Amino acid sequence: MRWGLDAAVGVLVALIGTGLMAAGLIWKGRAVRPFAASRARSVAQREYARDLQRAADQVIAEARRSAGEGEPAIVTVEAVRRLTEERYGYAEVERRHAAAALRRRFEHGRCAADCVTDAYE
């Protein structure tokens, strides 16, 4: 009689486990919180600003590497726009956004000593 009870408990545990696995497959990947358009917009704006700043840093570093001895590094807004579009996949980057990011990184990186930019035009 003991075997009958143990078998019934085993079958019950197996059924519950199978049910939980099926539920996991059905609800896999669902968001815990409902979609909020405002939250998505703010995340996209933060990522856009971060990507612009990274592109500006990369353009400044490349311009410094390619500048000759004693020559200033020439950093253009167009180079920041192009790199942001190519590397981060944006369809269109506004010139004023790229210029603002370049100005921030230009001042943060103390580029006035060895760089020239058109971001202030």
Side-chain angles (χ1 to χ4, degrees):
M1 177 139 168
R2 184 74 180 150
W3 272 105
L5 185 60
D6 288 344
V9 170
V11 169
L12 182 64
V13 168
L15 287 175
I16 290 174
T18 305
L20 288 173
M21 288 173 39
L25 286 174
I26 293 171
W27 291 306
K28 180 179 138 186
R30 294 214 178 161
V32 176
R33 295 181 355 201
F35 178 75
S38 62
R39 187 170 50 247
R41 272 191 305 277
S42 68
V43 168
Q45 288 171 349
R46 283 194 306 269
E47 287 179 355
Y48 178 69
R50 185 192 67 220
D51 292 342
L52 275 171
Q53 286 196 352
R54 284 182 179 168
D57 284 340
Q58 292 167 356
V59 168
I60 290 170
E62 179 59 33
R64 282 179 169 165
R65 280 192 298 271
S66 63
E69 185 66 34
E71 294 179 359
I74 299 171
V75 185
T76 64
V77 174
E78 184 57 35
V80 174
R81 287 183 66 215
R82 191 175 336 107
L83 184 66
T84 306
E85 289 171 359
E86 290 172 1
R87 179 160 295 179
Y88 298 105
Y90 293 100
E92 177 108 11
V93 176
E94 290 188 35
R95 186 186 194 291
R96 63 188 178 98
H97 294 157
L102 183 55
R103 282 191 299 269
R104 280 193 304 273
R105 303 318 289 170
F106 192 81
E107 293 163 1
H108 177 75
R110 297 183 189 92
C111 292
D114 63 343
C115 298
V116 177
T117 185
D118 61 348
Y120 292 97
E121 295 176 0

